[in-house]
Amino acid sequence: MNPKQSSEDYPQPDAAEKLDSEQLSGRNEQFPVVGIGASAGGLDAFRQLLSHLPTDTGMAFVLIQHLAPNQKSLLREILARETAMPVVEVQDGMVVEPNCVYVIPPNTKMAIAQGLLRLTPRERNRGVSMPVDAFFLSLAADRGSKAIAIVLSGGDGDGARGLEAVKGAGGITFAQCEDSAEVSSMPNTAVATGQVDFILPPQEIAEELAKISRNPYVTHPNPARAVAALSEDETALQAIFGLLRTATGVDFTFYKETTLKRRILRRMVLYKLESLDSYVTYLREHPAEVQALYEDVLINVTSFFRDPAAFEALISKVFPAIVQDKAPEVPIRIWVAGCSTGEEAYSIAICLLEFLENQPIKPPIQIYATDISEMAIERARAGVYQQSMVADVSPERLHRFFVPIEGGYQIGKSIRELCVFAKQNLCSDPPFSRLDLISCRNVLIYLGAALQKKILPIFHYGLKPTGFLMLGTSETTGEASDLFALVDKKQKIYARKLASARLTLDLVTSNYPSAIASSDSRIKDSASNDFDLQKQADRIVLDRYAPVGVIINSDLEIVHFRGQTSLYLEPAPGRASLNLLKMAKEGLKIELRTAIHQAKKGEVPVRKDGLQIREGDRVRQVSVDAIPLPTGNLEEGYFLVLFEEVSSAIMPQSTEAREIETQSTSDKQEIDRLEQELTTTKEYLRSIIEEQEATNQDLKAANEEILSSNEELQSSNEELETAKDEFLSIVSHELRNPLNAMLGWTRLLRKRNMDATKMTQALEAIERSAMAQNQLIEDLLDISRITSGKLRLKPRPLRLTSVIEAAIDVVQVSADAKQIQIERSLQPLAEAIARDSDRLQQVIWNLLTNAIKFTPIGGRVNVTLAALGAQAQITVSDTGQGISADFLPYVFDRFRQADGSPTRSNSGLGLGLSIVRQLVELHGGTIEVESPGVGQGATFTVWLPLRANLEETAPSSSSETLTSTDEGEISVSNNKN
């Protein structure tokens, strides 16, 4: 399980604007807030939803739509005609009131904090704007179970990530059904997360909201008291726990009750149930709901590089300590406990790889990631994430460690192969061992004190003596502070103490099956007390009558003493050691070694009788049992070794008796002893030989696996060759076209029977073909330089107006040939800026060429330049063919074209817009694109900083999701090629 998103990223009200704390707290407790997000096609969905909503639901409605940043919005006026509720455009610091509708203004990002709507300037990061996600995330943090998220029509993945956070906080989620959505990408992406409660058309969403508003748990003014009310029906709660335990095998009895009760309340609201008994009945009649409740309790809400400061702490404090003095062949072992859908594990893997790049040694990496949710583990193994889920990943990491796929990204194979994902219950399944780092962030907060007390020693056991533990920012080691030393207080990073605590294996088990449910409301306390009494009684019986012994690991190190073992074991002289053979008294060592080896090999108990311990004139007859302990999937084996005195000690013999005893009897005893030792030694040597033969077999099997791996590598190389052949085929095809044209005209010229007009036409055609081929080659070289980091800019003072005018002059001939009018509105800037003139002109030329290519004859292209704040805004818009919303996420990808068929009318490699974006980012700027839709033109907008010199500006670190206007999704001609 993983956490709710932190609210630290969202704006908080200034001190002067804060309301009285009690008044503000009261506002937050009184009513739910409904966040509604949409993009293309959202206006009609908004209208349908509002027109069917009652005006007295007691809820507040906040509408977030993708709006054009520089145009006045009429959304408030349009929606005000659809409802009698007040509809207002949000102003910063506005207090949220029930039965009101709030509309986001243009060019802003909105969040809710402490009952106030806060506005910040819209971020301009490579065309990405995720206003719906931003608001939903803040809504989850601010309202918790009083949050409701709705995703309506739209053409990207905005809202999916925030919707998961709302459900993780205990809220309710909706998505518009595909049949009713004008553009279904946004709601479909939300549905794909598996976290949507209702999938309905807008009218039915309104009806469902009205029903929810009448539920007593929703209308309860204090959520905490509503949860507390469930405690009064302990019998029903125990019945629910029993149903969950029977269906899933997971016992939630000692989980945090408040968390469980909130999840139960949430499910009751969905089915309009008003009592816990009714919900128990519903669970019994609908087994699928038991599984749904189980998944609800285990809601996974996480993100890549969540809390970046925590990862910085790993890089600066933990990783250096882990690799210090580590041999190159010894792997770095990390366990991510409660890994959810894998983002945490993959983030750690990426950070560790980046750290090791600058280290002299690069040891192997083994990352084990576990979670109790099978669904989460399956998603983690696939490593596929929607575009909105990688919004916090920098462009460099996105390019290096992720592979673009349809609808999002997949973690690269090299990273996936470092991580092993498995289902695991921390409370009952065995842990991993010999670990350098355990990351268990925001898991303990869901567990009760008893489970925390059990799990932390398990973590201590699993770590190496120099290992580290990282918890969530709201978690501590609590009563286990004797096991861990604090390294970073803020990021909750701990170092393992060299404490004596070991993993305690509870060998005392109850013979009675656990009850599923009890009608006695006191069952939990009484069961706990009965268990304690039984355990004490068992302990007394064991101490008095059971044989003494020790628990050892596979290295024969003692990890636990049971009873008084001083008659059989004693500390060895010299350096302190807990090795069993070093502590065993003379007469036991050889037989002990043999018994343990045989038990380990055969995985069966082994008993050795007739062992003798001599203590002066006293001789003790001892039996030894070596018993393998079941440890599940635990890598390290454990054994119980028991010592039992089978006969009373032989009393010291008198002088007379010793004299009477014949020498032959004494010799016979010595011979028997020596023969026994010889037999034992032979058995031990025979077992060693058999073990060596088994090892050889293992090596042979490993060699076969290596051969199989080589075959897989060969297959992968063949796939790469195929991809390479396809690439070369595309390039050769595009390069051959202008060559064929030049060869054709050259053959005609050789015939020397052309007039002057035809001759001129031939020369112009040859020149155009040569220029086209040259441009293809230049594009390939540019993309190669950019990818390898070898492209160097040459900044010098320039005027942007001159750069744009020069680019227009270059394309004017092409525009005139299609009777396309180029209109310009260029605002002279106050001062020159230091930029690379040639590369900026290449950007403008590419955009203009692209616009002219995809604009029909007689169309229009507009170019503008203006200074907005500290940035220069350059726009290139056209009246061309535009592009479908489905292609928008791939507009700036390399080798991607809207029409990828061999018979497409426009040639090219699909590199133009990719080069444009890279060049703009190298200048510290961003580029975005907007369009109402197919056939309605496109607008590219370039933002360049004015007040920073080129050498002071770094490329943008945003992700690649694009935005749309309020009229529809963005559209763009693919590229100039």
Side-chain angles (χ1 to χ4, degrees), residues 566 569-577 582-584:
S566 58
L569 306 176
E570 61 184 3
R575 186 174 181 179
S577 172
K582 290 183 179 180
M583 296 188 66

Side-chain angles (χ1 to χ4, degrees), residues 320-333 356 359-365 436 464 466:
I322 289 177
V323 300
Q324 186 176 6
D325 301 327
K326 181 179 283 289
E329 69 277 5
V330 177
I332 297 174
R333 292 168 58 85
L356 291 176
Q359 301 302 311
I361 65 167
K362 294 177 175 56
I365 298 173
D436 296 288
K464 292 180 178 178
T466 56

Side-chain angles (χ1 to χ4, degrees), residues 810-968:
V810 173
V811 302
Q812 190 65 58
V813 175
S814 300
D816 292 343
K818 296 181 68 174
Q819 301 175 21
I820 293 175
Q821 182 180 359
I822 300 180
E823 298 180 354
R824 68 198 80 181
S825 175
L826 307 180
Q827 172 189 336
L829 304 183
E831 57 186 21
I833 57 175
R835 296 290 183 270
D836 188 320
S837 175
D838 293 338
R839 291 300 180 181
L840 283 184
Q841 185 173 330
Q842 181 180 353
V843 168
I844 307 302
W845 181 86
N846 260 300
L847 294 177
L848 287 170
T849 303
N850 197 68
I852 293 170
K853 178 187 292 185
F854 292 98
T855 297
I857 294 174
R860 187 179 69 257
V861 174
N862 294 320
V863 184
T864 69
L865 169 64
L868 298 178
Q871 292 186 311
Q873 181 198 57
I874 305 170
T875 65
V876 176
S877 59
D878 60 64
T879 58
Q881 70 183 42
I883 197 170
S884 67
D886 293 338
F887 189 72
L888 288 175
Y890 313 107
V891 166
F892 295 106
D893 288 357
R894 283 177 287 172
F895 305 111
R896 293 296 293 266
Q897 303 188 56
D899 181 6
S901 63
T903 58
R904 63 182 184 272
S905 57
N906 294 292
S907 61
L909 296 174
L911 294 176
L913 290 180
S914 176
I915 294 172
V916 165
R917 185 190 66 184
Q918 299 282 358
L919 291 178
V920 170
E921 289 179 355
L922 285 175
H923 284 81
T926 60
I927 183 170
E928 57 189 35
V929 57
E930 297 177 347
S931 170
V934 176
Q936 301 183 58
T939 299
F940 286 89
T941 304
V942 176
W943 299 89
L944 295 172
L946 291 174
R947 298 175 183 172
N949 290 328
L950 182 60
E951 58 271 20
E952 298 173 355
T953 305
S956 168
S957 62
S958 67
S959 82
E960 300 196 30
T961 309
L962 303 174
T963 65
S964 74
T965 68
D966 54 342
E967 290 86 4

Side-chain angles (χ1 to χ4, degrees), residues 565-609:
T565 59
S566 58
L567 294 177
Y568 314 99
L569 306 176
E570 61 184 3
R575 186 174 181 179
S577 172
L578 287 176
N579 185 275
L580 176 63
L581 296 182
K582 290 183 179 180
M583 296 188 66
K585 289 189 174 182
E586 199 64 37
L588 298 179
K589 294 183 179 181
I590 294 178
E591 294 290 353
L592 268 177
R593 184 198 303 272
T594 302
I596 294 169
H597 185 82
Q598 291 174 347
K600 181 178 181 180
K601 177 183 175 183
E603 297 183 350
V604 294
V606 175
R607 182 179 178 89
K608 295 291 183 180
D609 295 312

